[in-house]
Amino acid sequence: MWDFIYIDDVMSGVLSLIEHEGAGIYNIGGGNVVSLKTVVELINNHMGSKLDVQYGAIPYREGQLMHLEGSIEKIKNRTGWRPKIDLEEGLLRTIKGLA
């Protein structure tokens, strides 16, 4: 499970910290975790792909992270910032930019 965030939200989070003089270490994330399988399926669906993805065909590497999620509570409490672009919208914007 992974926490994805669209670049516009990263930048707005950084700017919110600058505006609030937020020195320190903050997580800036989407605040929502999804599986890589979900991301691949969304991309395939939105691009009209008929790829037959072979999930698990390559073994996991030793020590590979299986869950990556950062808490955004600290930045929300400090600045009121929240991500605005969900995963699907971010993927659609990225796909549109490829055309």
Side-chain angles (χ1 to χ4, degrees), residues 21-62:
E21 298 178 10
I25 298 171
Y26 293 82
N27 290 319
I28 297 177
N32 189 11
V33 294
V34 297
S35 69
L36 292 177
K37 181 178 179 181
T38 298
V39 174
V40 170
E41 289 173 352
L42 284 169
I43 292 168
N44 280 341
N45 289 339
H46 288 298
M47 294 191 75
S49 174
K50 304 273 191 249
L51 288 176
D52 180 22
V53 179
Q54 301 296 311
Y55 299 103
I58 299 172
Y60 295 117
R61 295 182 306 260
E62 184 178 330

Side-chain angles (χ1 to χ4, degrees), residues 67-87:
H67 188 94
L68 184 60
E69 176 182 13
S71 171
I72 60 174
E73 291 304 310
K74 184 176 176 184
I75 190 171
K76 282 179 11 182
N77 292 338
R78 171 80 178 169
T79 70
W81 176 85
R82 285 178 164 65
K84 294 183 176 128
I85 302 165
D86 66 18
L87 173 64

